[in-house]
Amino acid sequence: MEEKRGDYGAFTEKFELKGSTSSHLPLQGLTFAVKDIFDMEGFISGFGNLDWARTHPPAKSTSPVVLATLNAGATCLGRTVMDEMAYSINGENKHYGTPTNPCVPDRVPGGSSSGSAVAVTGKLVHFSLGTDTGGSVRVPAAYCGTFGFRPSHGIISSEGVIPMAQSFDTVGWFARDLQTLMQAGQVLLQLVPETRNQPTHISIPRDCFETLGLLSDKTYQIMNASTEKIYGSQLINNENLDGYICKNVPSIHKLIGIYQGKEATLPALAVISHAMRSIQRSEFKANHEEWINATKPDFGPGLKERIYEALTANYDDLDLCNVIRAELKYALTNLLGDYGILAIPTVPGPPPKLSMDASELENFRARAFSLLSIAGMSGFCQINIPLGMHNNLPVSISLLAKHGSDMFLLHVAQELYATLKEQASIAWGSS
């Protein structure tokens, strides 16, 4: 497949905006791209939709996150394509075109930060900025085979970023290598470097890999073997996560009967996913219903139906969903403690093919949100780690740590990465 406009169709507009030229800056010499959701003075934030761009003026100021990146010496090369109103995880856009996934051109790039992931994977920039509400950094990172980081909720300023659902919205970023991911992270997180602590235990829940992931990609074996080699088998906990949640999040039992026995989902995590999506949709409605009703924007197929469903849905169980969220955060904080790690599949399998029938996507999306809602509902930080290509498809794994442990999580990823790649090569070589 040919590259769109020579840049995989990643950009809505290209330019060169040089950062600070002071010497010895942490991002000096690096280039980056910005999702079309961040305010940049003089530019219209298009929010993935031409009607939004038409009805909104250019920004009068620049997002603090973009400013910090420029002040650290990086050069911005443009603004990137995103799903309309950040309301999808596929990355398809009828207005700007769907960016081409450089790993697998016949499959979706993932969204909503599709262009940001593609710009990195396609080697157009060193790193890029995106946002993650329900999975919008983690999913395209996994689909495009690159590193993606969703920080702890609220730890990076979302000022100057169009809200999708603010109690879940986070500013994340992509990079092709861990060194660049770390460099950008130290600027964006604005955290004082901490002592490098070893993990005290690593939870690798069997059910998440065997029910929600794929057995054929062998990520469960790869993660267990890597942990044992680096830290020893005594750190590994393979307890099923769904069972742990059932025991420690009591309010889910008011809804769990709805999901009991549903094919290819874990009932407790299905409730967590339902709760996340209910809260997210209600916040989206509060943020954007007035504009949608006044403008009657042109939305892409499938997306239009989901957006209007959010505007007309009944949110009677919203209080219960918020109780479930608080209980889950408490339970997962207890599970991981100060220096625990949770390992899960980022997504249920390889990226779906372009223009896949909506009914075929339904089961995949259900499993995906069961995985994505873990960090979303807890506010924990999560990193997508690409393991490489298996059967010509990208394979990734995710690590999570408790809220506020972002640098710790990045350090653990650094310690494990080479061994994860080595064990993936061994596992896939024996296939």
Side-chain angles (χ1 to χ4, degrees):
M1 185 177 289
E2 293 183 355
E3 294 179 20
K4 299 177 182 178
R5 304 191 301 274
D7 61 7
Y8 298 97
F11 292 94
T12 59
E13 52 187 326
K14 297 172 77 172
F15 49 81
E16 186 171 307
L17 183 61
K18 289 189 177 295
S20 174
T21 55
S22 300
S23 58
H24 307 300
L25 292 172
L27 299 181
Q28 201 164 50
L30 299 183
T31 58
F32 72 105
V34 177
K35 183 178 181 176
D36 196 24
I37 197 171
F38 290 85
D39 283 350
M40 293 177 67
E41 185 178 357
F43 293 90
I44 296 174
S45 299
F47 209 18
N49 181 273
L50 290 178
D51 288 314
W52 182 279
R54 175 179 59 81
T55 56
H56 287 80
K60 294 181 179 179
S61 59
T62 299
S63 153
V65 170
V66 178
L67 274 179
T69 309
L70 291 167
N71 290 339
T75 297
C76 181
L77 296 187
R79 297 174 65 85
T80 56
V81 175
M82 60 176 284
D83 279 296
E84 297 177 67
M85 303 192 81
Y87 209 93
S88 180
I89 58 170
N90 272 4
E92 296 172 300
N93 188 302
K94 70 169 285 186
H95 303 286
Y96 297 98
T98 299
T100 300
N101 186 331
C103 279
V104 273
D106 65 333
R107 295 177 182 254
V108 298
S112 64
S113 307
S114 54
S116 294
V118 167
V120 166
T121 307
K123 300 182 180 180
L124 307 174
V125 292
H126 293 101
F127 68 97
S128 61
L129 302 180
T131 60
D132 188 309
T133 302
S136 293
V137 165
R138 293 163 288 165
V139 173
Y143 286 1
C144 292
T146 195
F147 290 95
F149 196 85
R150 174 197 165 97
S152 300
H153 182 264
I155 206 165
I156 296 178
S157 171
S158 58
E159 182 185 343
V161 180
I162 302 170
M164 195 278 185
Q166 52 268 36
S167 72
F168 297 100
D169 292 344
T170 60
V171 171
W173 66 99
F174 303 87
R176 285 187 303 280
D177 61 87
L178 266 172
Q179 180 181 347
T180 305
L181 195 81
M182 288 283 288
Q183 280 179 266
Q186 286 168 343
V187 169
L188 296 170
L189 293 165
Q190 297 183 347
L191 297 176
V192 176
E194 58 185 38
T195 305
R196 294 187 66 156
N197 291 291
Q198 294 288 302
T200 52
H201 55 286
I202 298 183
S203 294
I204 312 170
R206 181 186 294 272
D207 57 345
C208 287
F209 287 89
E210 294 188 351
T211 304
L212 297 176
L214 285 180
L215 293 176
S216 59
D217 66 21
K218 300 191 175 183
T219 48
Y220 181 68
Q221 295 93 320
I222 292 164
M223 187 66 213
N224 276 281
S226 300
T227 301
E228 183 172 355
K229 183 169 182 179
I230 296 295
Y231 300 116
S233 59
Q234 71 278 3
L235 263 65
I236 297 174
N237 172 16
N238 293 131
E239 178 185 3
N240 284 344
L241 187 61
D242 209 63
Y244 177 83
I245 292 172
C246 277
K247 294 174 189 172
N248 294 280
V249 183
S251 294
I252 66 165
H253 293 283
K254 297 175 182 177
L255 293 173
I256 204 164
I258 301 170
Y259 301 95
Q260 201 75 42
K262 284 208 171 187
E263 187 179 353
T265 60
L266 296 169
L269 282 172
V271 173
I272 300 301
S273 173
H274 161 78
M276 180 187 77
R277 295 169 82 180
S278 291
I279 301 168
Q280 180 180 310
R281 288 170 177 171
S282 70
E283 292 181 1
F284 176 86
K285 176 180 178 177
N287 289 328
H288 301 302
E289 181 179 30
E290 183 178 345
W291 176 81
I292 292 170
N293 287 337
T295 308
K296 295 180 172 52
D298 179 22
F299 290 129
L303 185 71
K304 177 180 179 180
E305 290 75 13
R306 292 201 304 278
I307 285 177
Y308 279 100
E309 181 185 341
L311 300 190
T312 57
N314 184 322
Y315 296 106
D316 286 347
D317 64 358
L318 208 54
D319 288 343
L320 175 59
C321 291
N322 278 303
V323 171
I324 289 171
R325 172 158 63 172
E327 290 178 356
L328 179 74
K329 183 173 183 178
Y330 181 77
L332 291 182
T333 301
N334 285 340
L335 175 68
L336 297 187
D338 287 337
Y339 300 110
I341 292 288
L342 174 63
I344 58 172
T346 307
V347 287
K353 291 188 175 180
L354 288 163
S355 303
M356 182 181 283
D357 183 78
S359 60
E360 294 182 57
L361 280 172
E362 188 174 345
N363 180 267
F364 188 88
R365 285 171 59 85
R367 288 187 292 141
F369 280 112
S370 289
L371 292 164
L372 297 166
S373 62
I374 298 168
M377 286 285 278
S378 64
F380 285 13
C381 46
Q382 180 172 344
I383 183 172
N384 177 75
I385 301 176
L387 300 180
M389 302 287 284
H390 179 47
N391 294 331
N392 297 315
L393 294 167
V395 178
S396 293
I397 198 167
S398 268
L399 305 180
L400 291 79
K402 76 166 191 173
H403 188 276
S405 298
D406 301 64
M407 291 307 297
F408 165 68
L409 181 61
L410 284 164
H411 289 318
V412 172
Q414 275 189 319
E415 289 179 338
L416 274 170
Y417 180 56
T419 303
L420 284 167
K421 292 281 286 183
E422 173 193 74
Q423 293 301 318
S425 178
I426 292 169
W428 297 338
S430 63
S431 299

